[in-house]
Amino acid sequence: MSTTSTPGPARVDGRAPDELRPVRITRNWLEHAEGSVLVEFGSTKVLCAASFTEGVPRWRKGSGNGWVTAEYAMLPRATNTRGERESVKGRIGGRTHEISRLIGRSLRAVVDTAALGENTVVLDCDVLQADGGTRTAAITGAYVALADAVAWAKGRGLVRASKQPLTGSVSAVSVGVVDARPVLDLRYTEDVAAHTDMNVVMTGDGRFVEVQGTAEAVPFDRAELDAMLDLAAGGCARLAGIQQDALAGAGA
Amino acid sequence: MSTTSTPGPARVDGRAPDELRPVRITRNWLEHAEGSVLVEFGSTKVLCAASFTEGVPRWRKGSGNGWVTAEYAMLPRATNTRGERESVKGRIGGRTHEISRLIGRSLRAVVDTAALGENTVVLDCDVLQADGGTRTAAITGAYVALADAVAWAKGRGLVRASKQPLTGSVSAVSVGVVDARPVLDLRYTEDVAAHTDMNVVMTGDGRFVEVQGTAEAVPFDRAELDAMLDLAAGGCARLAGIQQDALAGAGA
Amino acid sequence: MSTTSTPGPARVDGRAPDELRPVRITRNWLEHAEGSVLVEFGSTKVLCAASFTEGVPRWRKGSGNGWVTAEYAMLPRATNTRGERESVKGRIGGRTHEISRLIGRSLRAVVDTAALGENTVVLDCDVLQADGGTRTAAITGAYVALADAVAWAKGRGLVRASKQPLTGSVSAVSVGVVDARPVLDLRYTEDVAAHTDMNVVMTGDGRFVEVQGTAEAVPFDRAELDAMLDLAAGGCARLAGIQQDALAGAGA
Amino acid sequence: MSTTSTPGPARVDGRAPDELRPVRITRNWLEHAEGSVLVEFGSTKVLCAASFTEGVPRWRKGSGNGWVTAEYAMLPRATNTRGERESVKGRIGGRTHEISRLIGRSLRAVVDTAALGENTVVLDCDVLQADGGTRTAAITGAYVALADAVAWAKGRGLVRASKQPLTGSVSAVSVGVVDARPVLDLRYTEDVAAHTDMNVVMTGDGRFVEVQGTAEAVPFDRAELDAMLDLAAGGCARLAGIQQDALAGAGA
Amino acid sequence: MSTTSTPGPARVDGRAPDELRPVRITRNWLEHAEGSVLVEFGSTKVLCAASFTEGVPRWRKGSGNGWVTAEYAMLPRATNTRGERESVKGRIGGRTHEISRLIGRSLRAVVDTAALGENTVVLDCDVLQADGGTRTAAITGAYVALADAVAWAKGRGLVRASKQPLTGSVSAVSVGVVDARPVLDLRYTEDVAAHTDMNVVMTGDGRFVEVQGTAEAVPFDRAELDAMLDLAAGGCARLAGIQQDALAGAGA
Amino acid sequence: MSTTSTPGPARVDGRAPDELRPVRITRNWLEHAEGSVLVEFGSTKVLCAASFTEGVPRWRKGSGNGWVTAEYAMLPRATNTRGERESVKGRIGGRTHEISRLIGRSLRAVVDTAALGENTVVLDCDVLQADGGTRTAAITGAYVALADAVAWAKGRGLVRASKQPLTGSVSAVSVGVVDARPVLDLRYTEDVAAHTDMNVVMTGDGRFVEVQGTAEAVPFDRAELDAMLDLAAGGCARLAGIQQDALAGAGA
């Protein structure tokens, strides 16, 4: 099967199959947080706030190692129809749990917790507006907020100047099979139409941190899987560049 | 006692005692919501989203009357130190409950629910950044989002063109006694220092909807109360003008 | 506008506009509590129990200051139709939260926590029967129970004899605009009919601790507000006298 | 083994082993409830409110049968040291559940639900002050409140005059082995000291509805069990008489 | 009344009124637990796992005494129709609470907590399949798992060889009045049909630990109660023998 | 990089890198459930119960389509140290949610919900003993229980004989990189040591339903990913054969 060469119908917004939506990373969006980023993948907007605090959770005390974790949530009207607040329901849903855990694991894949010392960084990723790819935007933005928080801590001597708690960068993108054609960075309408939906998290040097593929209706074969992995690798490489550019900027 | 003429020390940001912070109302901040506003009172930023849906809660069915309600929340890193999410705690705190109820009551004071028909508008007020006055900013912004949602519904015939569900406008402001001097629209540092803290909600035609004054440490006398009410009346009049200007703008 | 002189129709129970219901304070209603009061405002009956314990909550340890807090609740059949228990629902409602916080703040306004030392007093205010004004009765009764608990603690040397943890007394009353006329201490049927409902908490020396006014349907103007404040001041002065008389009694 | 003839040390309050505490049943303690009783077993005070409503829970609709259920709770300062509210904890404890279920089952043992018709009676039993035997006092008082609520319903034609929903009366008492001697109606200090604690619920005609005996520390033999059952039968017979006298009274 | 001699109709599975179902105790059913038993009373299957840990809950620290507790639960499809999981409901039901507490109390009746030392044993009793008598099977099986866990701890020196934390054995059985005839060890269909249902917990030397009898519909008289107690004593004696045989076996 | 040819150290239980543990599928383990399987992957034991009920959840009514869902849970002592029950904690953990959702999605990939008609099958997968691979064993066993429940429904005419609700079979297996070598079906100790952990769900005809790979510490490259996918494909093919054999058996 040869999927990537299929021309197929145009995508909903005219993008090529391997084309990202416009990605924008705005640093220092908040005044209080040690690192904060508004990340936009097209109409998807996620506010990522990094909170740096000295000390670690009880179960990690005395280990000499730091901790990085994340919490993901969606504002009730981020989506097309209003969703009930999880605080009102009194419980976190399974999807929220899954994504929070995914973001935390993804970031820890590029953190040297010994170099971080006994400090904690919590990444709050709140979706202000959703149009597909909220978890991948969150990971991509959270990395930049985390980098800013680490720099802030080094500036205040909370992390030694000689230490490098970040061993690399990390970003994420979605891929899927829509109309029998693998495509990159799905919008919401594409996500709904996709037979297969995959989220891929990769380091800046091109290795995999997470691969999560789900056949929504029709199981996929190895050729489709390979094509999706190729698209994802290309997309993450471009996102790594955008992150690097953002961090090279003035910062405010 | 004569409080308003006391010159006193300068306020933290140099404002006069009866001066509002710069207020900015940005309409249509979200794509999906029927009405949405980012309202800023200085550094305080609240995203107000109005969700219009046909139908009413079960207890109101068949009454011919609509319903308007509100939910207030704060992002974990809106504040100087991170607060735990209420969804994670599994319960809504008392302060959140109080403010949600206050916003809902304030808006309903200018809603003719019969004219609205059996439709519901939920106002989600999420504090993205907090520097005092989040509930008053929320009420002020939510009114504009509500007005936009009502206009949207009239445009689609969900509310009859001949009906006017809004009987007036509503806005809110805080006042307090800081360093023995009544001042308008307190920032967070002033709020913490205030002996008395009062939130006043008023209609565009100058009547009171809510008066909530609390002596944080030192009880206040009638002269101080009168001075605060005067300041609040002036502040709300100016906010009503800003709301009117925003709604007179292009909208997008 | 001249509101207080309006004769208007008789009140439901024939009271004058500025007349309190019969108020009764029965001290030592319980055997175990360090202070306990059954307070009655007409048919409204609230059991106020003060629990004095040595030590303070964790966040206050080592401060040298004590803590006073309150919890308000209603028995399921205190009202005309049975309400579901909040313990069964698994969550405290917004109204309960609000009132508990109001009672706690009101009492703390007359407490010198340094003089109290690192001790805690919890005031449990359980409404046995409700006919309007439960929160104001609770504050009025809780003050007396608190005074008894402080005396108990002094008697046992848990608070030094030379210290005076209470800087004054505090009481509360409701006022409202019913049939366009301001009236004092509303019964349930008046409360339902009121256009405006206000609860006022005052110290024994006539200063304000809390002013909470809400326009239930029709916003109120400054003249109505002033008239309500006048009525409240008169009512609280009489309640302060009743509290003083009760505390001057034998106590059991 | 011969237990009942053992003279043994005097009981803490000088009662004979087979002697009840002073029992007082005050009907119509509340204004709103269809039946209400303040029942006192010595210092133990339980407020029992019967709420009669037309209709039955969904799972019973169309059956032609009514429903009787109960909820038991304790005010936080009913006991010697303050207990946390279950509404604040967000969950009902096991003991509360057990006792609520026991009271409901006990009452249903004397209810002909067909004669009651599709109506529901909820018995709220709130312990205002606890000194042992709160569940047995609750059952004994709740029966009287239930009888008043049924009479109320017959008076309004909600239950047909020809029907008799109550097939008999029910009361309850505790027995235990204290200092190797079976005793009736234990106070709190006796309950704590008891090797065995048993609650017995009986109908007015002397049959058993519930027998719940627990060896707190030392298992008990058949002779002790028989002695306890004899004491309980005598106690319940006297309680049935007190209930009958209370219901024969004027009622208010 | 003479109940035990009544021949009556055959029981659903042909057993004599005083006959237990086939009872099977399989030790070491799990690899990880310090003691584990699959206990079967006919089709009722309960998995009992004993977890031994050093240390005790906070409220017991420094007492020198150990702690034994139990948790009972039912798999959703243990029963004829699926029950919702209590973890999904977010709360433990009253029945589950009651039974967990009963199992814990029953085991503690034969535990010398001082001899156990500051160690904790938790007994998890999970019903894999239910056909009546799950709580009595749980107690009977849990005792054997507890005995194995204690032996394990002695083998590792966590409990001194000279100590005997178990002062005897404990088992339990249900009895009831079905078709006006007392019968032993009820299956589910008998339980549903029973006028009276009683669970009896006894020590190996024939004393009572718990007696819990409930008239489901028709109150029972003293003769029926005595007949049920006789049946239970016989049943528990046989169960004690089966436990002894199981513990005398090889263990795997 | 060439990973599969590396001989490397022996696995903890001597298996070849591409060797499954002994897999055992016991059908009809429960009497009540419409389908039930005890599935064992070595020491991992999962009880899978399929509950077939007529009707569908409210949101699916009238669609003509059925619904298949799953709930996963672990007994507290399935693991080496006891875990607290989620019912006691009052909330389902993120991991439990994730796995329940994964099992449900995996089964739905082979279900034709239109052919199932408006019926629901719930698969309860309770881990009795855990030694790695509990979610993959659960999926593998649940498919067989589902097939039995569907056959049961066809036998009773609840699903038309002409319909085939199952479009194929589904199974799952874990793969990982341990000591730099990809291996199949990890035990718990291997899982802990793995740098990468991947769960793969495949249909009986060799297509992918889910691919979930996580770098626990060291990101993995494309060659390692390809090697793991190859191992998984082989493992799932063997599991499909074992499922087929089980279903071809007598059934008990």
Side-chain angles (χ1 to χ4, degrees):
Chain A
M1 176 185 177
S2 167
T3 51
T4 50
S5 59
T6 313
R11 294 177 71 177
V12 61
D13 51 7
R15 278 185 289 151
D18 62 351
E19 191 179 346
L20 293 172
R21 288 177 283 179
V23 172
R24 194 157 54 162
I25 292 176
T26 307
R27 287 164 66 201
N28 300 324
W29 206 81
L30 297 172
E31 291 177 15
H32 303 307
E34 286 73 39
S36 68
V37 156
L38 183 73
V39 59
E40 296 167 82
F41 277 30
S43 290
T44 291
K45 298 184 187 191
V46 185
L47 179 54
C48 305
S51 297
F52 186 102
T53 48
E54 297 179 73
V56 284
R58 189 176 309 184
W59 53 272
R60 215 171 168 84
K61 272 190 186 144
S63 69
N65 294 315
W67 185 240
V68 172
T69 186
E71 292 187 4
Y72 167 97
M74 221 184 245
L75 292 197
R77 198 54 202 280
T79 46
N80 199 43
T81 55
R82 185 177 184 272
E84 199 187 350
R85 287 174 192 270
E86 295 185 322
S87 58
V88 170
K89 289 191 220 172
R91 56 174 74 190
I92 299 272
R95 181 184 174 277
T96 298
H97 254 137
E98 266 184 50
I99 300 179
S100 293
R101 286 156 54 96
L102 170 65
I103 300 171
R105 282 199 311 270
S106 297
L107 295 173
R108 287 193 295 273
V110 295
V111 169
D112 175 347
T113 55
L116 183 57
E118 288 205 6
N119 297 296
T120 297
V121 189
V122 179
L123 276 300
D124 284 293
C125 301
D126 286 272
V127 179
L128 304 187
Q129 188 164 278
D131 185 25
T134 61
R135 77 189 74 186
T136 55
I139 292 167
T140 304
Y143 167 73
V144 177
L146 172 60
D148 273 338
V150 166
W152 177 92
K154 288 182 120 177
R156 264 151 203 76
L158 300 172
V159 168
R160 289 223 201 113
S162 61
K163 300 287 187 184
Q164 181 42 282
L166 295 177
T167 62
S169 72
V170 66
S171 66
V173 76
S174 71
V175 283
V177 178
V178 180
D179 294 329
R181 182 177 56 171
V183 291
L184 181 70
D185 188 23
L186 283 67
R187 293 187 57 178
Y188 177 70
T189 50
E190 292 181 313
D191 195 41
V192 167
H195 281 172
T196 295
D197 180 26
M198 179 173 274
N199 292 291
V200 179
V201 184
M202 298 184 76
T203 56
D205 64 358
R207 288 176 300 151
F208 295 91
V209 171
E210 289 268 344
V211 174
Q212 297 198 340
T214 299
E216 294 293 336
V218 184
F220 50 95
D221 62 23
R222 183 67 178 264
E224 286 169 311
L225 176 54
D226 286 342
M228 287 190 285
L229 291 169
D230 290 342
L231 280 179
C236 283
R238 263 164 285 147
L239 289 168
I242 292 168
Q243 289 173 321
Q244 206 172 348
D245 290 350
L247 285 166
Chain B
M1 177 186 176
S2 168
T3 50
T4 49
S5 57
T6 313
R11 292 178 74 177
V12 61
D13 50 9
R15 277 186 290 152
D18 62 351
E19 191 179 347
L20 293 172
R21 288 177 284 178
V23 172
R24 195 158 54 161
I25 291 176
T26 307
R27 287 164 65 203
N28 300 324
W29 207 81
L30 296 172
E31 291 177 14
H32 303 307
E34 286 73 38
S36 69
V37 156
L38 182 72
V39 59
E40 297 167 81
F41 277 31
S43 291
T44 290
K45 298 183 186 191
V46 184
L47 180 54
C48 305
S51 297
F52 185 102
T53 49
E54 297 179 73
V56 283
R58 187 177 310 184
W59 53 271
R60 214 170 167 85
K61 272 189 187 145
S63 67
N65 295 316
W67 185 240
V68 173
T69 186
E71 291 188 6
Y72 167 97
M74 222 185 244
L75 291 197
R77 198 52 201 282
T79 44
N80 199 43
T81 56
R82 184 176 186 271
E84 200 188 350
R85 288 175 192 270
E86 294 186 324
S87 58
V88 170
K89 289 191 221 173
R91 55 173 76 189
I92 299 272
R95 181 184 173 277
T96 298
H97 253 138
E98 266 182 49
I99 300 179
S100 294
R101 287 155 54 95
L102 170 64
I103 300 171
R105 281 198 311 270
S106 297
L107 295 173
R108 286 193 296 273
V110 295
V111 170
D112 175 346
T113 56
L116 183 59
E118 289 205 6
N119 296 296
T120 298
V121 189
V122 180
L123 276 300
D124 284 293
C125 300
D126 286 89
V127 179
L128 305 185
Q129 188 163 279
D131 186 26
T134 61
R135 78 189 71 187
T136 55
I139 291 166
T140 304
Y143 167 72
V144 177
L146 172 61
D148 273 338
V150 167
W152 176 91
K154 289 182 119 177
R156 265 150 203 77
L158 300 172
V159 169
R160 289 223 201 112
S162 62
K163 299 287 186 183
Q164 181 42 282
L166 295 177
T167 63
S169 71
V170 66
S171 66
V173 75
S174 71
V175 283
V177 177
V178 181
D179 295 329
R181 184 177 55 173
V183 292
L184 180 70
D185 188 23
L186 283 67
R187 294 186 56 178
Y188 178 69
T189 48
E190 292 181 314
D191 195 41
V192 167
H195 281 171
T196 294
D197 179 26
M198 179 173 272
N199 292 291
V200 179
V201 184
M202 298 183 76
T203 55
D205 64 358
R207 286 177 300 149
F208 295 90
V209 171
E210 289 267 343
V211 174
Q212 296 197 339
T214 299
E216 293 294 334
V218 183
F220 50 95
D221 61 25
R222 184 66 178 266
E224 286 169 311
L225 175 53
D226 286 342
M228 288 190 285
L229 292 169
D230 290 342
L231 280 179
C236 282
R238 264 164 285 147
L239 290 168
I242 293 168
Q243 289 174 320
Q244 206 171 350
D245 292 349
L247 285 166
Chain C
M1 175 187 176
S2 167
T3 50
T4 50
S5 58
T6 314
R11 294 177 71 177
V12 61
D13 50 9
R15 277 185 291 153
D18 63 350
E19 191 179 346
L20 292 172
R21 288 177 283 179
V23 173
R24 193 158 55 162
I25 292 176
T26 307
R27 286 163 67 201
N28 300 325
W29 206 82
L30 296 172
E31 292 177 13
H32 303 308
E34 286 74 37
S36 68
V37 156
L38 181 73
V39 59
E40 296 167 82
F41 278 31
S43 290
T44 290
K45 297 184 186 190
V46 185
L47 179 54
C48 306
S51 297
F52 186 102
T53 49
E54 297 178 74
V56 283
R58 189 177 308 183
W59 53 271
R60 216 171 167 85
K61 270 188 187 145
S63 67
N65 295 316
W67 185 239
V68 173
T69 186
E71 291 188 5
Y72 167 97
M74 221 184 244
L75 291 196
R77 199 53 202 280
T79 45
N80 199 42
T81 55
R82 185 177 185 272
E84 199 188 350
R85 286 174 193 270
E86 295 186 324
S87 59
V88 170
K89 290 191 220 173
R91 54 174 75 189
I92 299 272
R95 181 183 174 277
T96 298
H97 254 139
E98 265 183 50
I99 299 178
S100 293
R101 287 156 53 96
L102 169 64
I103 301 171
R105 280 199 311 270
S106 298
L107 295 172
R108 286 193 297 273
V110 295
V111 169
D112 175 347
T113 55
L116 183 58
E118 289 204 6
N119 297 297
T120 296
V121 189
V122 179
L123 276 300
D124 284 293
C125 300
D126 287 89
V127 180
L128 305 186
Q129 187 163 279
D131 185 25
T134 60
R135 78 189 71 187
T136 55
I139 292 167
T140 304
Y143 167 72
V144 176
L146 172 61
D148 274 337
V150 166
W152 177 92
K154 288 183 119 177
R156 265 150 203 77
L158 300 171
V159 168
R160 289 223 201 113
S162 62
K163 299 287 186 183
Q164 181 42 282
L166 295 177
T167 62
S169 71
V170 66
S171 66
V173 76
S174 71
V175 284
V177 178
V178 180
D179 295 330
R181 183 176 55 173
V183 292
L184 180 69
D185 188 21
L186 285 65
R187 292 187 58 177
Y188 178 70
T189 49
E190 292 181 314
D191 194 40
V192 166
H195 282 173
T196 294
D197 180 26
M198 180 174 273
N199 291 291
V200 179
V201 184
M202 298 184 76
T203 55
D205 64 359
R207 286 177 300 150
F208 295 91
V209 171
E210 290 267 345
V211 174
Q212 296 197 339
T214 299
E216 293 294 337
V218 183
F220 50 95
D221 62 23
R222 183 66 178 266
E224 286 169 310
L225 176 53
D226 286 341
M228 288 190 285
L229 291 169
D230 290 342
L231 280 179
C236 283
R238 263 163 287 148
L239 290 169
I242 293 168
Q243 290 174 320
Q244 206 171 348
D245 291 349
L247 285 166
Chain D
M1 176 185 176
S2 167
T3 50
T4 50
S5 58
T6 314
R11 293 179 72 177
V12 60
D13 51 8
R15 278 186 289 152
D18 62 352
E19 190 179 347
L20 292 172
R21 288 176 284 179
V23 172
R24 194 159 53 163
I25 292 176
T26 309
R27 286 164 66 202
N28 300 324
W29 207 81
L30 296 173
E31 292 176 14
H32 303 307
E34 286 73 39
S36 67
V37 156
L38 182 73
V39 60
E40 297 167 81
F41 276 32
S43 291
T44 290
K45 297 184 186 191
V46 185
L47 179 55
C48 305
S51 297
F52 186 101
T53 49
E54 297 179 73
V56 283
R58 188 176 309 183
W59 53 272
R60 215 171 168 85
K61 272 188 185 145
S63 68
N65 295 316
W67 185 240
V68 172
T69 186
E71 291 188 7
Y72 166 96
M74 221 184 244
L75 291 197
R77 198 55 203 279
T79 44
N80 199 43
T81 56
R82 184 177 185 272
E84 200 187 349
R85 287 174 192 270
E86 295 185 324
S87 58
V88 170
K89 289 192 221 174
R91 54 174 77 189
I92 300 273
R95 179 182 176 279
T96 298
H97 255 138
E98 266 182 51
I99 300 178
S100 294
R101 287 154 55 94
L102 169 64
I103 300 170
R105 282 198 311 271
S106 297
L107 296 173
R108 287 192 296 272
V110 295
V111 170
D112 175 347
T113 56
L116 182 58
E118 289 205 6
N119 297 296
T120 297
V121 189
V122 179
L123 276 301
D124 284 293
C125 300
D126 286 90
V127 180
L128 304 186
Q129 188 164 278
D131 186 26
T134 61
R135 79 188 72 186
T136 56
I139 291 166
T140 304
Y143 167 72
V144 177
L146 173 61
D148 274 337
V150 166
W152 177 92
K154 288 182 119 176
R156 264 150 204 76
L158 300 172
V159 169
R160 289 223 202 114
S162 62
K163 299 288 186 182
Q164 181 40 282
L166 295 177
T167 61
S169 72
V170 66
S171 66
V173 76
S174 71
V175 283
V177 178
V178 180
D179 295 330
R181 184 177 55 172
V183 292
L184 180 70
D185 187 22
L186 284 66
R187 294 187 56 177
Y188 177 70
T189 49
E190 291 181 315
D191 194 40
V192 167
H195 282 171
T196 294
D197 179 28
M198 179 173 273
N199 292 291
V200 179
V201 184
M202 299 184 76
T203 56
D205 64 359
R207 287 176 301 150
F208 294 90
V209 172
E210 289 267 345
V211 174
Q212 296 196 339
T214 299
E216 293 293 336
V218 184
F220 50 95
D221 61 24
R222 183 66 178 265
E224 286 169 312
L225 176 53
D226 286 341
M228 288 190 286
L229 291 169
D230 291 342
L231 280 179
C236 283
R238 263 163 286 146
L239 289 169
I242 293 168
Q243 290 173 322
Q244 206 171 348
D245 291 348
L247 285 167
Chain E
M1 177 187 176
S2 166
T3 49
T4 50
S5 58
T6 314
R11 294 177 72 176
V12 61
D13 51 8
R15 278 185 290 153
D18 63 351
E19 190 179 347
L20 292 173
R21 288 176 284 179
V23 173
R24 193 158 56 163
I25 291 176
T26 308
R27 286 163 66 202
N28 299 325
W29 206 81
L30 296 172
E31 291 177 15
H32 303 306
E34 286 74 39
S36 69
V37 156
L38 183 73
V39 59
E40 297 167 81
F41 277 32
S43 291
T44 290
K45 297 184 186 191
V46 185
L47 179 54
C48 306
S51 297
F52 186 102
T53 49
E54 297 179 73
V56 283
R58 188 176 309 184
W59 53 271
R60 215 169 166 85
K61 271 188 186 145
S63 68
N65 295 316
W67 186 239
V68 173
T69 186
E71 291 187 5
Y72 167 97
M74 223 184 243
L75 290 197
R77 199 54 203 279
T79 45
N80 199 43
T81 56
R82 185 177 186 271
E84 199 187 352
R85 288 175 191 269
E86 295 185 323
S87 59
V88 170
K89 289 193 224 173
R91 55 173 76 189
I92 299 272
R95 181 183 175 278
T96 298
H97 254 138
E98 265 183 52
I99 301 179
S100 293
R101 287 155 53 94
L102 170 64
I103 301 170
R105 281 198 311 270
S106 298
L107 295 173
R108 287 193 295 273
V110 296
V111 169
D112 175 346
T113 55
L116 182 58
E118 289 204 6
N119 296 297
T120 297
V121 189
V122 179
L123 277 299
D124 284 293
C125 301
D126 286 89
V127 179
L128 305 186
Q129 189 164 277
D131 185 25
T134 61
R135 78 189 72 187
T136 55
I139 291 166
T140 305
Y143 167 73
V144 177
L146 172 60
D148 273 338
V150 166
W152 177 92
K154 288 182 119 176
R156 265 150 202 77
L158 299 172
V159 168
R160 290 224 199 112
S162 62
K163 299 287 186 183
Q164 180 44 282
L166 295 177
T167 62
S169 72
V170 66
S171 66
V173 76
S174 71
V175 284
V177 178
V178 180
D179 295 330
R181 184 177 54 172
V183 292
L184 180 70
D185 188 22
L186 284 66
R187 291 187 58 175
Y188 178 70
T189 49
E190 293 181 315
D191 195 40
V192 166
H195 282 172
T196 294
D197 180 26
M198 179 174 273
N199 292 291
V200 179
V201 184
M202 298 185 76
T203 56
D205 64 358
R207 287 177 300 151
F208 294 90
V209 171
E210 290 267 345
V211 173
Q212 296 197 340
T214 298
E216 294 293 335
V218 183
F220 50 95
D221 62 23
R222 183 66 178 265
E224 286 168 311
L225 176 54
D226 286 341
M228 287 190 285
L229 291 169
D230 291 341
L231 279 178
C236 283
R238 264 164 285 146
L239 289 168
I242 294 168
Q243 289 174 320
Q244 206 171 348
D245 291 350
L247 285 166
Chain F
M1 177 187 176
S2 166
T3 51
T4 50
S5 59
T6 313
R11 293 177 73 178
V12 60
D13 51 7
R15 278 185 289 152
D18 62 352
E19 191 178 347
L20 292 172
R21 289 177 283 179
V23 172
R24 193 158 55 162
I25 292 176
T26 308
R27 286 164 66 202
N28 299 325
W29 206 81
L30 297 171
E31 292 177 14
H32 303 306
E34 286 74 39
S36 68
V37 156
L38 182 72
V39 59
E40 297 167 80
F41 277 30
S43 291
T44 290
K45 298 183 185 190
V46 185
L47 179 54
C48 304
S51 297
F52 185 102
T53 49
E54 297 178 75
V56 283
R58 188 176 309 183
W59 54 270
R60 214 169 168 86
K61 272 187 185 146
S63 68
N65 295 315
W67 185 240
V68 173
T69 186
E71 291 188 7
Y72 167 97
M74 222 185 244
L75 292 196
R77 199 52 202 281
T79 45
N80 199 43
T81 54
R82 185 176 185 272
E84 199 187 350
R85 286 175 193 271
E86 294 185 324
S87 58
V88 170
K89 289 191 221 174
R91 53 173 78 189
I92 300 272
R95 179 182 175 277
T96 298
H97 255 139
E98 267 182 50
I99 299 178
S100 293
R101 287 155 53 94
L102 170 64
I103 300 171
R105 282 199 311 270
S106 297
L107 296 172
R108 288 193 296 273
V110 296
V111 169
D112 176 347
T113 56
L116 182 58
E118 289 205 6
N119 296 297
T120 297
V121 189
V122 179
L123 276 299
D124 284 293
C125 300
D126 287 89
V127 179
L128 305 185
Q129 189 163 278
D131 186 25
T134 62
R135 79 189 72 186
T136 56
I139 291 167
T140 304
Y143 167 73
V144 177
L146 172 61
D148 273 338
V150 166
W152 176 92
K154 288 182 120 177
R156 264 150 203 77
L158 300 171
V159 169
R160 290 224 200 112
S162 62
K163 299 287 187 184
Q164 180 43 283
L166 295 177
T167 61
S169 71
V170 66
S171 66
V173 76
S174 71
V175 283
V177 178
V178 181
D179 295 330
R181 183 177 55 173
V183 292
L184 181 70
D185 187 22
L186 284 66
R187 294 187 56 177
Y188 178 69
T189 49
E190 291 181 315
D191 194 41
V192 166
H195 281 171
T196 294
D197 179 27
M198 179 173 272
N199 292 291
V200 179
V201 184
M202 299 184 76
T203 56
D205 64 358
R207 286 177 300 150
F208 295 90
V209 171
E210 290 267 345
V211 174
Q212 297 197 339
T214 299
E216 293 293 336
V218 183
F220 51 95
D221 62 23
R222 183 67 177 266
E224 285 169 311
L225 176 53
D226 286 341
M228 287 189 286
L229 292 168
D230 290 342
L231 279 178
C236 283
R238 263 164 285 146
L239 290 168
I242 293 168
Q243 290 173 321
Q244 207 171 348
D245 291 349
L247 285 167

